Amino acid sequence: MTTELASQMMAIAIEQAGAPSVLKPVKRSVPHPAKGEILIRVKAAGVNRPDVLQRQGHYPPPAGASDLPGLEVAGDVVVVGEGVERYKVGDAVTALLAGGGYAEYVTVHEGNALPLPSGYGYVEAAALPETLFTVWHNVVQRGQLQAGETLLIHGGSSGIGTTAIQLGKALGAKVIITAGSAEKCSACLKIGADVAINYREQDFVEQVKAATNNKGADVILDMVGGDYVDRNYDAAAVEGRIVQIAFLGGAKAKANFAKLMTKRLTHTGSTLRARDVAFKAQIAAELESKVWPLLASRTITPVMDMIYPLKDAWRAHERMEEGNHIGKIVLDVA
């Protein structure tokens, strides 16, 4: 089933690796959905750290993915490809992408799209997929967080962090975060964190031990790496699970790996973008079952920072690189 479409669309392309100014509006052909895919008329697109890394030349898109940045969108289904069963033209969806979100149209496999949660508009819904898929996979599936445990989140005021705070609390965990300013720490406490540590002024290892009667954190979600690796081993509880999702502080580190043995720690990590459609569809199904009701009740809700028009994507990247944002940055495509 199809509807009348323009053949060209506006998109934001990466002219060359470099500063935010290399993000340029371009005209591209509207893509066509393959078997099992839907074409979405994008209303809003989320901005994420991997977009910045791609623009800088550090994170190329996986094979077969669009060269345009953008890993999450919300919008309306305007074409359904052969074999699509779940969605029809006119359905409002939000979707996780391997790329291509900074555009007026994008294709995605139907299994990687979800209906808008009840009560959500496009801008809020566009802030959901990348963070929720990432947090669910790493905190719940890999980290195995259980009720009554302690979750330590580095970068608590980021889009990932603000989502992880709320999910951790919804799962019955005690949540400790680190952030780089009093304002960010205060925001995280308002969102639901039990303890907020200003890493510029406090030693997070000492503070985590103090907050847990010297037990340590059962699960640590880390996007820093670098010298945090060894310090995470100190801050972790016996049988603790450390899940690495980025290396903003460097991908190489010196660490005392004897702590892995004596504390029986698990240090794992993952990337999501290059995983196959079926893997992401499995996460989508779990999110719809377990998290979508929490979104509808506003038990979990995206913390919104700034919204920019699509043509000003470069400003959104500047905002992210400045590091002062709290929550999600979104592009208004409509």
Side-chain angles (χ1 to χ4, degrees), residues 156-157 177 179-189 196 323-326:
S157 61
I177 68 94
S181 71
E183 179 190 11
K184 289 181 176 182
C185 286
S186 176
C188 291
L189 291 170
N324 295 322
H325 63 290
I326 296 173

Side-chain angles (χ1 to χ4, degrees), residues 75-120:
D76 296 322
V77 178
V78 290
V79 181
V80 295
E82 179 189 349
V84 169
E85 297 179 349
R86 175 159 195 191
Y87 297 109
K88 63 184 185 301
V89 170
D91 285 346
V93 297
T94 185
L96 182 72
L97 315 170
Y102 291 14
E104 292 178 314
Y105 294 90
V106 71
T107 57
V108 67
H109 191 278
E110 65 170 339
N112 294 176
L114 288 159
L116 262 60
S118 177
Y120 279 67

